[in-house]
Amino acid sequence: MTADPPAGQDRRLTRHADVRAVLADPRFLVPAAPAAQPVAVRPGTGMTWLRGAVSRFSNGAEHTRRRARAVGLLDALDPARLRREAYDRTRAELAGEACVEVMTRIARRVPVGVLATRLGVPEEWREEVVAAVTAMAAAYHLPPAADASPTGDAADAAVGVLGASLGVALGEGEAPEPGLLAAVAGVLIQACDATAGLVGNALAAVTRMPADLALRWPVEVLLAETLRWDPPVRLTRRVAAEDAMAGGVPVPAGAVLVLDLAAANRDPEVFPDPHRFDPSRFDPARFDPARFRQGRGGGGGHLGFGDGLRPCPGERAALALAAGIVEAALGHRLADSEIPYEPSPNLRVPARLCLQDPERLQAPNELQDPRECGRTSMNTHAETFPASQAADSRAPHSVDSRAPHPADFRALHHAQRPLVLPNAWDHASAAVLAAAGFAAIGTTSLGVAAAAGKPDATGDTAAETLALARRLTGLPCPVSVDIEGGFADTPQGVAEIAAELARMGVAGVNIEDGRPDGTLADLGERCETIAAVKSRAPGLFVNARTDTYWLGAGDRDATLARLRAFAEAGADGVFVPGVAEADDVRALVDAVDLPLNVLFLPGRHTVAGLAALGVRRISTGSLLLRAALHAVTQTARAVAAGEEIPAGLPSYADVQALVAADADSVLDQS
Ligand code: HEM
């Protein structure tokens, strides 16, 4: 942590120990609710009153009293019943449908509906109260607008709806006492978006696992790892009530600390191999709660539910509700590999997540277009979760070095440093690279062809490439597949293959214009192919490659013309293997407003040098395969000659663990 953050920025803590220490330190308070407007605020009405009346934005004795009331409501709930009801309602939503948009139909409606009913809301008010709580939740953390905005008006009215429903429950004409209304509203609002995020993030991870694997883990274990790996509440804030220390540096009274729960959950000092989605770390047979917990139950060391003096009192209820929903959805598949997230500064909640029932889909071409599945999200401002908020820190000890979330392949092309994309040729080479922490993995067509005993770039390895792609989507990082010229004779044929890869969960493809005879494919035909792929699989990152330099088939101008045409056709990135000179690289970077990918040429390039020129993605191509083949012959010769073999080789168990870890982690769709 820095003692003096840049002007206008709050200090951010990312280390697990530092975040925990602040959460347990009474000198750090929750930023209080903004003072009510001078206009009269009638108790029991409107968001300004509500924010000032809930436990969440209060401190001291007032907080203790209000929190006790919320805890009293929550303690009276039976988790087994919550779970059963959530399960039944989710099954009912999924029943008979080939494709269901979970965030609108289930992720809020089910948990908030079940909870509201258990807290006394009459059954016939259920849907209205769910909508009211959703509106209140959207406005909860915002300061009251000086002039009433439509959102503010809707949220203010929503407080009245909840009050009226409780009034009906209490007896005709009787309005609920404001303290009760604040406690029920506070509980339902806190439950709303956070539980939707937990459900959405868990389903996003779990539905990518093979069904039998997902079923192998208790749902609690899957939820625990989701809460660590992809927590819905990414951060919380504290303000120093007096001069204090945090993260080893002085913090003056009044300074605000951002506690990055998501980054702390990836602190390698607490969680080995923190970027891997690995439910086995919470396997009840292996997990040692004493190692993590000091005095508080649940959680398993992750900070998903907060910690210290005011952890989430809804943990038990949230886990029961989410467990019921996830259990009911196991066996369903994610319809779309790319998930948009709501634009929240502190929450990570999918805006849209479509699940498909494989049993209702006879053949791949029956897959429903996810855009047509369900209604749109209640949040109309959905956007892909910004990389800077993903808090997927690969260096959790530094304050601001937050890399993009691994699932967001596109964002990796726009990070501070270029994406170094190592290219694998089989499962083992990809798994070892993923385990080494590379943010994404590509494939090398030479490697795939050589492993199959075939020549490269002849279009003869479609089956091997697809089989490998299917296998690699089991890795906990995005995968981009080299499909050579596209493995089909027509743009539509290539688009079919691309769509199949997208359905598997592949994040991107490379499509090249080099032909087996060393000439370039017709530019118009390549552009048609790119356009067809983008229209069939819009979420797939299409890296359009020209082999002008690689084949010596065109000069700089020809290359620039091709890149511009690819960009026009809808490519997401452009790739020019073989370019070496800085001037050429610079010209290519300037040519199009898309990330430029170059092939790393040992002795000619450095990552830093390419970064300085503006390159956004650096591939290793066949380099790693060739290095491995070299190591194979060197080692065999050393054995034969009685010489020492190189140190540092992975053991038999290490290699076995690569497969087991992958299988235990996520996403083998085979
Ligand atoms: C049934 C569902 C839930 C209920 C009823 C609930 C309730 C609450 C309440 C009332 C508070 C305020 C506590 C206080 O002021 O002392 C709170 C805080 C919190 N909740 Fe929950 N919650 C639920 C779900 C979740 C979920 C799914 C998460 C995320 C995984 C979550 C994370 C948190 C965190 C991190 C805090 C503490 C914030 C801080 O320390 O500043 N909650 N919750």
Side-chain angles (χ1 to χ4, degrees):
M1 202 190 84
T2 50
D4 296 308
Q9 277 184 30
D10 294 330
R11 293 160 168 78
R12 179 180 288 263
L13 291 181
T14 56
R15 288 185 70 228
H16 191 274
D18 295 341
V19 172
R20 273 194 99 193
V22 170
L23 287 172
D25 188 334
R27 292 172 302 172
F28 293 101
L29 304 178
V30 163
Q37 304 290 309
V39 294
V41 173
R42 208 149 46 87
T45 59
M47 287 303 291
T48 306
W49 164 77
L50 185 63
R51 279 191 213 92
V54 291
S55 74
R56 178 67 183 80
F57 305 113
S58 62
N59 286 295
E62 197 58 55
H63 173 253
T64 310
R65 201 177 54 71
R66 293 174 183 178
R67 182 174 168 107
R69 192 147 193 188
V71 168
L73 292 174
L74 290 163
D75 278 356
L77 301 171
D78 172 7
R81 181 161 186 188
L82 294 179
R83 183 169 177 160
R84 203 173 49 246
E85 286 187 16
Y87 178 90
D88 290 344
R89 289 189 177 272
T90 305
R91 294 300 296 178
E93 285 295 325
L94 294 171
E97 304 252 2
C99 185
V100 171
E101 203 289 285
V102 172
M103 301 316 295
T104 314
R105 287 187 46 186
I106 296 173
R108 287 182 180 82
R109 270 178 75 215
V110 170
V112 175
V114 169
L115 212 49
T117 319
R118 292 291 117 236
L119 290 173
V121 168
E123 183 65 40
E124 63 276 17
W125 282 75
R126 169 195 285 264
E127 292 295 331
E128 216 173 322
V129 164
V130 169
V133 171
T134 305
M136 287 189 274
Y140 198 49
H141 291 276
L142 305 174
D147 54 333
S149 66
T151 319
D153 288 347
D156 285 345
V159 179
V161 170
L162 179 62
S165 75
L166 293 174
V168 169
L170 290 169
E172 221 170 311
E174 199 179 329
E177 168 260 313
L180 173 66
L181 176 58
V184 173
V187 161
L188 291 176
I189 291 169
Q190 292 281 156
C192 183
D193 290 341
T195 311
L198 176 56
V199 165
N201 297 348
L203 288 176
V206 170
T207 50
R208 286 181 169 131
M209 298 168 86
D212 57 334
L213 237 172
L215 290 169
R216 195 200 300 166
W217 294 111
V219 174
E220 291 81 354
V221 168
L222 297 170
L223 289 174
E225 179 62 343
T226 302
L227 283 156
R228 184 200 70 82
W229 190 72
D230 196 7
V233 178
R234 313 295 289 186
L235 54 88
T236 187
R237 288 188 166 78
R238 292 294 185 267
V239 56
E242 56 188 82
D243 290 351
M245 296 286 286
V249 299
V251 177
V256 174
L257 292 176
V258 173
L259 307 179
D260 194 329
L261 306 173
N265 277 353
R266 298 216 179 175
D267 185 340
E269 280 179 21
V270 180
F271 300 102
D273 200 1
H275 303 295
R276 173 183 291 283
F277 184 87
D278 178 9
S280 77
R281 67 178 90 233
F282 293 114
D283 180 352
R286 269 180 44 184
F287 172 56
D288 174 11
R291 202 176 133 211
F292 292 111
R293 315 298 309 173
Q294 284 139 22
R296 199 169 73 79
H302 67 69
L303 302 179
F305 284 114
D307 200 56
L309 298 173
R310 42 196 300 165
C312 172
E315 177 173 340
R316 212 169 52 117
L319 288 174
L321 292 161
I325 296 170
V326 171
E327 212 161 31
L330 284 179
H332 279 64
R333 294 258 158 192
L334 216 50
D336 200 353
S337 61
E338 199 161 301
I339 300 172
Y341 287 85
E342 292 185 358
S344 159
N346 64 329
L347 292 176
R348 186 164 144 89
V349 183
R352 198 173 156 70
L353 192 150
C354 298
L355 286 188
Q356 289 174 328
D357 180 353
E359 286 181 11
R360 300 190 63 83
L361 300 162
Q362 304 302 310
N365 60 6
E366 278 188 41
L367 284 170
Q368 191 172 330
D369 183 339
R371 284 167 302 177
E372 284 158 24
C373 145
R375 289 176 285 144
T376 51
S377 163
M378 289 184 192
N379 189 330
T380 51
H381 304 296
E383 62 181 27
T384 302
F385 193 74
S388 62
Q389 291 167 9
D392 169 31
S393 175
R394 286 192 179 262
H397 294 196
S398 65
V399 182
D400 285 321
S401 60
R402 280 161 293 136
H405 191 271
D408 194 347
F409 186 54
R410 193 175 304 278
L412 292 170
H413 294 76
H414 301 279
Q416 256 179 352
R417 286 179 298 173
L419 167 64
V420 175
L421 189 73
N423 298 87
W425 58 93
D426 62 5
H427 179 264
S429 55
V432 80
L433 290 164
F438 284 91
I441 309 290
T443 64
T444 152
S445 65
L446 174 67
V448 175
K454 294 182 174 178
D456 185 26
T458 55
D460 196 23
T461 52
E464 287 87 353
T465 303
L466 273 115
L468 177 62
R470 188 179 291 282
R471 192 76 192 81
L472 297 193
T473 50
L475 297 172
C477 65
V479 170
S480 179
V481 176
D482 180 348
I483 58 171
E484 301 184 1
F487 297 135
D489 295 332
T490 60
Q492 281 64 36
V494 178
E496 266 313 305
I497 287 172
E500 189 174 342
L501 288 166
R503 281 197 293 272
M504 287 176 195
V506 163
V509 290
N510 268 12
I511 306 180
E512 66 199 33
D513 63 3
R515 293 198 295 204
D517 64 1
T519 60
L520 295 180
D522 174 69
L523 181 56
E525 183 275 332
R526 285 291 85 184
C527 290
E528 252 184 75
T529 301
I530 291 164
V533 168
K534 285 307 293 180
S535 122
R536 192 77 176 74
L540 201 64
F541 187 102
V542 173
N543 202 32
R545 161 175 160 172
T546 180
D547 285 333
T548 41
Y549 282 76
W550 189 243
L551 297 173
D555 58 11
R556 191 203 278 186
D557 287 343
T559 309
L560 296 179
R562 287 203 162 229
L563 297 192
R564 290 192 187 109
F566 292 165
E568 190 82 359
D572 301 284
V574 288
F575 182 21
V576 186
V579 63
E581 301 303 330
D583 274 357
D584 286 346
V585 173
R586 215 174 279 117
L588 301 182
V589 166
D590 292 342
V592 282
D593 197 17
L594 291 180
L596 175 71
N597 181 191
V598 305
L599 179 70
F600 181 78
L601 301 176
R604 305 291 302 274
H605 291 152
T606 62
V607 168
L610 291 173
L613 293 171
V615 172
R616 305 305 317 150
R617 167 166 158 179
I618 301 167
S619 303
T620 60
S622 65
L623 177 66
L624 305 184
L625 165 80
R626 291 183 289 111
L629 294 179
H630 179 66
V632 165
T633 45
Q634 291 289 96
T635 308
R637 283 196 186 119
V639 171
E643 292 165 5
E644 265 189 37
I645 61 163
L649 300 187
S651 68
Y652 180 92
D654 290 337
V655 178
Q656 279 284 73
L658 283 179
V659 181
D662 179 15
D664 285 350
S665 73
V666 245
L667 337 176
D668 181 349
Q669 315 228 332
S670 56

